[in-house]
Amino acid sequence: MNMNKNSKIYIAGHNGLVGSAIIRRLQKDGYTNLLLRTHKELELADQRAVAEFFAKEKPEYVFLAAAKVGGIMANQTYPADFIYENLAIQNNLIHQSYLKGVKKLLFLGSSCIYPRLCPQPIKEKYLLSGKLEPTNNAYAIAKIAGIIMCQSYNKQYNTNFISVMPTNLYGQNDNFNLDDSHVLPALIKKFHEAKKNKAKEVAVWGTGNAMREFLHVDDLANACVFLMNSYNDSEIINIGTGEDLPIKKLAELIRNIVGYKGKISWDSTKPDGTPRKLLDVSRLHQLGWKHKINLEKGIKMTYEWYKKNNE
Ligand code: GFB
């Protein structure tokens, strides 16, 4: 079931953080027949449009990297958008992949699907063993529905739809808009602007005690191509580094990389979210895959990209 270099591969969401990294990886590996559509060209929430697209283009492999995503505040503010748009997109893409005989589909979930207080590091088998984190349960339920949908189609229709669960991601092409971004890009932007404007202090959200794991998106793309070519099991599989750190340490690391000399203040009116969500990546390691980009190097790469593309 491995892709060959001229397989017709559709990357849904190719302009996003994950989709654009998967494109870079596939092109580097010599896959030449990539099928792409921008959001303007194809509304993935539109069932008829997606059915017509699949009938016309007949992709053989699908990376389902299109989703409505965002950080903790975006999830808390727009839960209806998160659940509606993600269910609509994945329902259409998974169902059409089945109807049109797609050879294999890779569905991207997220580490927020796991229970808020499950044992750490989190094993795939802990899914649905407890209450979800309230700040993002709409998004999490949508992603869990996508997982169960892939597993149900595999069972009933003998499809080959795999579901991968990445930890928090960062890297080039991330969203740096402070209202709906994730923490790492938000802090790069905050410290960069504070340095430029000689601000006295930077407000960081929460208490800083929440622990997070961060994987560079180039490593994620590498893992997705590896799993598309080697993993054919319905069980979900975690993708991460297996290391985490407190937001407090992350803030100090980014402040030093940016070279900001001012103070850090803590805005406790903002939520910490789940106290910890470190993934157990031993199953992925047993398959022979390990991340390559460590956090400090990854942040430096991302900051260089940010300065070149946002100034
Ligand atoms: O990255 P983040 O928004 O998402 O927040 P989650 C991570 C931690 O960073 C929280 C803190 O404890 C935030 O309070 N933080 C500190 C900040 N300063 C900032 C800031 O300026 N911006 C942001 N955004 N956070 C998301 C889920 O949870 O994880 C998504 O809501 C998705 O659905 C994603 O699953 C991977 O890691 O808390």
Side-chain angles (χ1 to χ4, degrees):
M1 289 306 264
N2 285 5
M3 301 184 288
N4 55 53
K5 298 302 179 189
N6 60 1
S7 297
K8 192 162 195 178
I9 305 167
Y10 171 44
I11 299 92
H14 77 280
N15 278 326
L17 171 71
V18 172
S20 56
I22 290 175
I23 298 269
R24 287 195 299 274
R25 177 80 249 165
L26 289 170
Q27 286 170 336
K28 226 179 277 171
D29 289 355
Y31 293 94
T32 54
N33 192 2
L34 305 187
L35 179 60
L36 312 174
R37 285 293 181 280
T38 63
H39 192 167
K40 257 206 279 307
E41 289 165 334
L42 175 61
E43 175 47 69
L44 294 174
D46 176 342
Q47 196 178 48
R48 180 190 306 279
V50 174
E52 285 164 3
F53 169 66
F54 268 72
K56 178 163 171 281
E57 297 296 342
K58 297 188 179 48
E60 295 171 87
Y61 294 87
V62 176
F63 286 92
L64 208 176
K68 162 92 181 156
V69 296
I72 190 162
M73 286 310 283
N75 270 274
Q76 242 192 340
T77 315
Y78 306 108
D81 298 345
F82 275 90
I83 194 159
Y84 170 71
E85 288 183 38
N86 287 306
L87 285 177
I89 290 168
Q90 61 198 38
N91 278 352
N92 291 337
L93 288 172
I94 294 168
H95 188 63
Q96 290 305 322
S97 292
Y98 150 63
L99 286 180
K100 303 299 188 300
V102 161
K103 288 194 178 107
K104 193 165 178 184
L105 174 142
L106 179 144
F107 174 67
L108 276 141
S110 164
S111 59
C112 74
I113 62 164
Y114 292 112
R116 173 181 161 85
L117 300 173
C118 67
Q120 309 279 326
I122 305 172
K123 292 184 186 310
E124 290 91 348
K125 65 183 179 187
Y126 296 162
L127 180 61
L128 292 175
S129 63
K131 273 188 170 313
L132 295 169
E133 160 59 36
T135 54
N136 58 41
N137 60 3
Y139 177 75
I141 289 285
K143 286 296 178 182
I144 292 169
I147 292 165
I148 304 298
M149 191 160 169
C150 288
Q151 292 173 337
S152 305
Y153 276 59
N154 292 345
K155 189 162 164 231
Q156 184 175 341
Y157 298 126
N158 198 26
T159 48
N160 190 4
F161 296 165
I162 61 173
S163 298
V164 305
M165 298 302 124
T167 188
N168 288 42
L169 303 170
Y170 70 98
Q172 70 182 66
N173 272 344
D174 204 342
N175 168 13
F176 289 85
N177 171 329
L178 296 184
D179 297 334
D180 56 7
S181 68
H182 289 96
V183 59
L184 199 147
L187 295 188
I188 285 179
K189 177 166 186 169
K190 285 182 174 179
F191 286 123
H192 178 77
E193 294 299 314
K195 180 181 164 193
K196 203 170 65 174
N197 307 329
K198 299 188 177 29
K200 290 234 175 327
E201 70 171 27
V202 165
V204 182
W205 296 352
T207 65
N209 298 325
M211 303 280 287
R212 289 294 184 275
E213 175 188 12
F214 297 97
L215 179 74
H216 192 279
V217 76
D218 288 351
D219 273 330
L220 175 82
N222 196 318
C224 287
V225 174
F226 170 78
L227 291 168
M228 181 67 103
N229 276 328
S230 64
Y231 187 72
N232 299 296
D233 194 308
S234 262
E235 175 57 78
I236 60 177
I237 184 153
N238 290 337
I239 306 178
T241 62
E243 299 141 20
D244 62 354
L245 77 168
I247 294 301
K248 206 168 272 175
K249 283 249 170 304
L250 176 76
E252 284 154 14
L253 180 59
I254 296 174
R255 176 178 60 181
N256 298 343
I257 288 168
V258 170
Y260 173 65
K261 303 284 182 239
K263 250 171 59 53
I264 293 176
S265 64
W266 295 94
D267 173 2
S268 50
T269 66
K270 295 287 190 314
D272 269 348
T274 195
R276 196 178 189 202
K277 48 178 177 176
L278 174 65
L279 294 182
D280 179 319
V281 284
S282 47
R283 284 183 60 233
L284 182 60
H285 287 176
Q286 275 148 22
L287 291 174
W289 188 88
K290 219 170 150 2
H291 74 286
K292 295 195 179 77
I293 303 168
N294 75 38
L295 185 56
E296 184 165 359
K297 180 171 165 237
I299 296 173
K300 285 177 180 163
M301 286 160 65
T302 308
Y303 185 42
E304 288 316 307
W305 181 88
Y306 176 78
K307 284 184 285 186
K308 269 201 215 87
N309 291 273
N310 286 274
E311 288 297 275

